[in-house]
Amino acid sequence: METRVPDDLEVHLVMDNYATHKTPAVRRWLARHPRWHVHFTPTGASWLNQVERFFALLTEKQLRRGVHRSTRELEQAIREYIDTINANPRPFRWTKSADDILATIKRFCLRTLETAERQTKIGKTSESGH
């Protein structure tokens, strides 16, 4: 990748705070390549969800069932997808309100607690006593 970027350009990488991006090997490589600048996103950055959603859509709509016999064919498929969506850009719209999302989380938590309570009762009434 380094050889594909013209020498007069600086490269800015935006990455999450995952530990694999901060290993000694990565730090050494970045120290040897000063034109590469890393920008870490804040933990739990909600805008990053939209970036992840973009890659999910790319995978679902363009890559998953495709046959790519070379890196060049894969890159071409990715570029075609980007060109297609850029030809008619539309803003991403959340389909659920914050209240809807919180209600879903509450239902999940309640179901989890109910399951744990049932399992506790079953354990107390089993023949083994465990």
Side-chain angles (χ1 to χ4, degrees):
M1 183 180 225
E2 168 73 7
T3 58
R4 292 185 173 192
V5 179
D7 291 336
D8 60 329
L9 294 179
E10 294 198 3
V11 181
H12 292 265
L13 302 170
V14 178
M15 298 189 287
D16 61 19
N17 275 297
Y18 199 59
T20 58
H21 301 142
K22 299 175 181 180
T23 64
V26 171
R27 289 176 190 256
R28 282 192 303 273
W29 191 92
L30 288 168
R32 290 190 316 267
H33 300 86
R35 68 186 181 126
W36 290 70
H37 307 279
V38 177
H39 306 279
F40 291 105
T41 61
T43 302
S46 63
W47 66 268
L48 195 56
N49 293 338
Q50 291 185 24
V51 174
E52 291 171 346
R53 189 68 204 131
F54 167 81
F55 284 106
L57 289 170
L58 168 66
T59 301
E60 292 167 13
K61 295 185 176 190
Q62 186 73 6
L63 302 179
R64 181 166 287 134
R65 291 184 183 89
V67 176
H68 309 99
R69 292 179 176 86
S70 67
T71 303
R72 180 172 290 171
E73 286 183 13
L74 176 61
E75 289 175 354
Q76 181 179 352
I78 292 169
R79 285 190 178 94
E80 287 173 3
Y81 177 78
I82 292 170
D83 290 344
T84 299
I85 63 169
N86 283 342
N88 184 23
R90 294 184 309 247
F92 181 82
R93 298 196 194 282
W94 294 106
T95 57
K96 292 191 175 189
S97 69
D99 289 340
D100 291 338
I101 294 168
L102 291 172
T104 300
I105 293 169
K106 180 179 178 181
R107 285 193 304 274
F108 172 77
C109 291
L110 290 173
R111 280 195 315 270
T112 303
L113 288 172
E114 290 169 2
T115 301
E117 288 173 2
R118 279 195 303 273
Q119 290 175 342
T120 300
K121 288 178 186 175
I122 291 170
K124 289 179 180 178
T125 60
S126 69
E127 288 183 28
S128 64
H130 298 289

